[in-house]
Amino acid sequence: MAYVVTENCVRCKFMDCVEVCPVDCFYAGENFLVINPDECIDCGVCEPECPAEAIFPDSDARAADWMEINAKFSTIWPNMSQKGTPPADREEWNGKEGKREMLSEEPHKD
């Protein structure tokens, strides 16, 4: 079992979850984070740390459409083990629906 980052992270990307992960299984895109399912140890410490409430166990129905996205991009995007600077407009996007089409496939840039 693993945890999965879902739609509400798109354009929010708070990154609070990254700092608590004991195995550094988060990977960063331009406007979204993913969890590598092969590295996640199912500890669950990231879930309550997410201000956007975008992280769910893979057994949760809300994670189903996002498992493949997490698996795919965790092999392409750079690993993130420390919180970076979140987007300035993150609060404006928190809770908005229909953000999936806004998901950028570009990797995180420093």
Side-chain angles (χ1 to χ4, degrees):
M1 186 144 101
Y3 279 78
V4 179
V5 182
T6 63
E7 182 175 29
N8 204 41
C9 182
V10 176
R11 303 226 31 195
C12 287
K13 197 177 160 189
F14 286 95
M15 296 180 275
D16 296 43
C17 53
V18 170
E19 292 206 324
V20 299
C21 180
V23 294
D24 297 335
C25 65
F26 281 89
Y27 291 79
E30 182 177 39
N31 67 358
F32 187 64
L33 295 172
V34 295
I35 294 172
N36 184 312
D38 295 328
E39 296 173 358
C40 180
I41 60 170
D42 192 33
C43 68
V45 296
C46 60
E47 186 179 19
E49 294 299 318
C50 178
E53 298 179 356
I55 301 174
F56 301 99
D58 62 6
S59 59
D60 189 304
R62 295 171 286 187
D65 292 339
W66 292 88
M67 289 189 289
E68 186 176 320
I69 290 169
N70 277 245
K72 174 184 175 182
F73 289 109
S74 67
T75 63
I76 299 170
W77 289 345
N79 182 259
M80 181 165 258
S81 60
Q82 294 181 334
K83 182 178 179 175
T85 304
D89 62 349
R90 65 195 172 275
E91 291 293 348
E92 296 172 37
W93 290 100
N94 191 4
K96 290 193 178 183
E97 294 183 20
K99 298 192 294 183
R100 185 179 190 139
E101 55 273 355
M102 295 177 197
L103 173 63
S104 171
E105 295 189 11
E106 294 298 314
H108 174 80
K109 296 176 182 101
D110 291 328

